[in-house]
Amino acid sequence: MECPFCAETIKDEAIACKHCSRDLRVVRPVLLEIQDIVAELEKLRRDLDRVSSRLDRYKNPFRYFLVHLVLYVLIPTLLLVTAHVVVTIVLNVSPLPLRLASVIIPALFGFAACPMHKIRLREALGLALATAVLSVTSMLSVTAVHDQVPILPGPWVEWREVVEYGASIFLAFISGNTLGILIFQVLPRILAQGGKPNAAAFRIARLLGQHVGEEQLRRRARLIQDLIQTAGPLVGIAATAIGSVYAGLKGVLG
């Protein structure tokens, strides 16, 4: 924490500041109480954002779903189809740039969905699926019109390529959204937390070694709690990003 007198960083268990030598025994409980209040205010703010989003959806569902459909389905689909036309028809070059665009574009829109409209994983799954299906279907239609071939693929190999391409777009959107959740929701919550870590973190900290002081145990529990809260989103980002890149580039790179 910071010393309230000189603003220098000091240990949480300090009773006197090593920089200005001021006594902290009186103000330390007040500082801890302020940390708890800040954490509670942050929790209330998140709850208010969640309730506001639900109220907006219930008060005007048509406008709510139309805005999300346009911003996070139609616009990325239009960009993906445009990239498809430019790469495969106008330039007629290797599909590698198209596959890279099919990872980057959905990821950017999935990322932006979190801070702009508080879209979390459950809603992002539906938007990602709609974007993937509409994009792939539109690209197949464009190819069919240009090459005078059927819209639906024929052999199983072509179907597999289409499914992998759609999976790449889907996973890229989810990866971007999960990254947005980590940056705009999880990390601020961790930084705003104060006071005593939760009971589960304390139990894990004690299992790792009980022969330490109370303050050391609390710092260890705080670190464990922060790691637990960030581990889930990080694993999700890594898994979806790797899956998206693999599915998108597999057919190109072999």
Side-chain angles (χ1 to χ4, degrees):
M1 65 179 181
E2 289 186 352
C3 173
F5 301 105
C6 66
E8 293 288 346
T9 302
I10 56 176
K11 294 182 178 180
D12 290 346
E13 64 270 22
I15 60 175
C17 178
K18 67 177 181 180
H19 302 283
C20 65
S21 302
R22 300 291 292 269
D23 191 345
L24 302 176
R25 284 174 293 185
V26 176
V27 299
R28 186 169 177 273
V30 178
L31 293 177
L32 295 177
E33 184 68 23
I34 291 175
Q35 289 180 355
D36 291 338
I37 294 174
V38 170
E40 186 64 25
L41 287 175
E42 178 64 22
K43 180 178 181 299
L44 291 175
R45 186 192 64 80
R46 293 195 307 271
D47 293 340
L48 180 61
D49 289 341
R50 191 179 303 112
V51 171
S52 298
S53 178
R54 291 179 179 176
L55 285 176
D56 185 37
R57 182 173 59 193
Y58 293 137
K59 286 172 59 178
N60 198 339
F62 178 77
R63 178 181 177 275
Y64 179 87
F65 288 108
L66 180 62
V67 168
H68 286 68
L69 179 67
V70 171
L71 287 179
Y72 304 116
V73 178
L74 296 183
I75 293 179
T77 296
L78 179 61
L79 293 176
L80 290 170
V81 173
T82 301
H84 172 77
V85 171
V86 171
V87 172
T88 63
I89 297 177
V90 177
L91 300 179
N92 194 22
V93 295
S94 167
L96 179 60
L98 174 61
R99 295 306 180 93
L100 292 176
S102 298
V103 173
I104 296 172
I105 291 174
L108 291 176
F109 278 86
F111 178 81
C114 180
M116 290 181 61
H117 289 94
K118 303 296 186 294
I119 293 177
R120 304 200 63 173
L121 185 58
R122 185 174 62 179
E123 297 164 313
L125 289 171
L127 294 173
L129 182 60
T131 302
V133 172
L134 184 59
S135 298
V136 173
T137 303
S138 300
M139 292 179 192
L140 290 174
S141 301
V142 169
T143 303
V145 172
H146 181 265
D147 297 340
Q148 297 298 312
V149 296
I151 294 179
L152 295 179
W156 161 244
V157 175
E158 294 181 0
W159 272 107
R160 186 179 64 183
E161 183 179 354
V162 169
V163 171
E164 290 175 348
Y165 194 27
S168 175
I169 296 173
F170 174 83
L171 292 173
F173 193 103
I174 298 301
S175 179
N177 183 253
T178 307
L179 180 61
I181 292 173
L182 176 64
I183 293 177
F184 295 107
Q185 295 185 9
V186 176
L187 292 182
R189 183 170 68 245
I190 291 175
L191 293 176
Q193 283 178 341
K196 191 175 181 179
N198 59 44
F202 263 117
R203 284 196 293 269
I204 297 174
R206 290 190 179 94
L207 290 176
L208 296 177
Q210 300 183 0
H211 303 292
V212 293
E214 185 63 27
E215 289 297 334
Q216 179 67 26
L217 186 64
R218 188 179 65 83
R219 287 202 302 270
R220 181 187 296 173
R222 170 65 62 194
L223 177 60
I224 292 171
Q225 180 172 293
D226 293 347
L227 289 175
I228 292 174
Q229 291 177 345
T230 55
L234 287 175
V235 171
I237 292 169
T240 53
I242 293 172
S244 176
V245 173
Y246 175 77
L249 301 183
K250 177 185 176 183
V252 178
L253 302 179

